[in-house]
Amino acid sequence: MTEGNFVDYVKMHVTSGNGGKGSAHLHREKYIQKGGPDGGDGGRGGHIILRGNSNLWTLIHLKFKRHFKAGHGAHGSSGRSTGADGEDIYIEVPLGTVVRDSETDTVLFEITEDGEEKIVVEGGMGGRGNWHFKSSTNQTPRYAQPGIPLEEKDITLELKVLADVGLVGFPNAGKSTLLSVLTSAKPKIADYEFTTLKPNLGIVEYRDFQSFIMADIPGIIEGAAEGKGLGYYFLRHIERNSILLFLIPADAKDIVEQYEILEDELKRYNPEMLDKERLVCISKSDMLDSELKSEIATILDKDLKADYMFISSVAQQGLTELKDKLWKLLND
């Protein structure tokens, strides 16, 4: 999936259908005098419904279609005939889509399961025909109810990627390289910062034909809370991850300090993210000899408040152990 095809934020205007009005018809037939009221009910207006689809990964199919309008309910007719219901409009969305009211910014609901359906705006109810109002004191009512008018609303769809493992790290820490080695994903990789501008997803194949999903988001830098770098725009994609995998390069000036900066930025974004399982990977460790690796491990054992391991994506070092560790954390 190319960066231009990853769409995770869409605004749209949705309109339901009017309810059909009831009929005020009086029965007329040869040889039947005073047939009485027989006006039918109006049909219900169409709903706008969001439906989860596990085959979708982004909101790109909604990028250029921003207006959705359901059908109107048909009016009632003679013979107590009820009008047809208006056509419901179904909007397919990927799992993890959060729906907000654009005016109030309140969360209406979210779609997390395949086939799950939620009504965004309800169609108007059809009016009742005049035969409902017949009584001993009013045997010929010549009135019926109008249909309930439509609803319209501006909504915002935000996608929060549902993945098992989320990669967290500074720019150029090796997140995209790790994703490309462990999965079939082909993220952009280059020797400069912020090569990743959109989240990338990949499926990690494990033993016995099992698998789990890994997500790579753009790098976080100190001060992201103030809008530096790409800010917090993409951090919502790791809110749903079961495990946070911190990547810190072996050539970092202070590995513990970098971890604490990343942890602080996540805490400032959403303190609940620190309740997730965490694992720290020291990437690019093929640059270290055994003596230097031992010295770093001594420091980390003392000061780092998290489990850690050394890996190298390029040299294929420690990757099998990493997958074993992640799988164990996911299933515990």
Side-chain angles (χ1 to χ4, degrees), residues 131-237:
W131 73 274
H132 286 283
F133 306 108
K134 180 176 63 173
S135 68
S136 60
T137 58
N138 186 11
Q139 296 185 8
T140 320
R142 288 177 167 80
Y143 56 85
Q145 288 181 331
I148 302 298
L150 56 81
E151 293 182 22
E152 52 185 331
K153 187 177 293 183
D154 290 310
I155 61 172
T156 301
L157 305 185
E158 292 182 359
L159 175 62
K160 294 184 179 182
V161 169
L162 297 177
D164 299 305
V165 180
L167 299 177
V168 181
F170 282 84
N172 218 20
K175 302 187 299 300
S176 296
T177 304
L178 178 63
L179 186 73
S180 68
V181 171
L182 291 182
T183 74
S184 298
K186 293 180 170 48
K188 184 179 179 180
I189 300 173
D191 191 20
Y192 57 84
E193 296 183 348
F194 293 114
T195 53
T196 301
L197 298 177
K198 298 285 185 178
N200 292 298
L201 287 176
I203 298 176
V204 180
E205 295 182 356
Y206 191 61
R207 308 173 195 269
D208 301 324
F209 304 102
Q210 295 171 315
S211 63
F212 56 90
I213 299 175
M214 181 175 285
D216 168 30
I217 67 165
I220 304 170
I221 64 173
E222 187 174 8
E226 286 75 41
K228 293 183 179 179
L230 294 176
Y232 283 166
Y233 183 71
F234 294 110
L235 279 184
R236 67 175 180 271
H237 291 298

Side-chain angles (χ1 to χ4, degrees), residues 45-61:
H47 301 319
I48 301 291
I49 303 171
L50 262 63
R51 180 163 57 195
N53 187 334
S54 59
N55 294 319
L56 298 176
W57 291 90
T58 80
L59 299 170
I60 189 171
H61 61 294

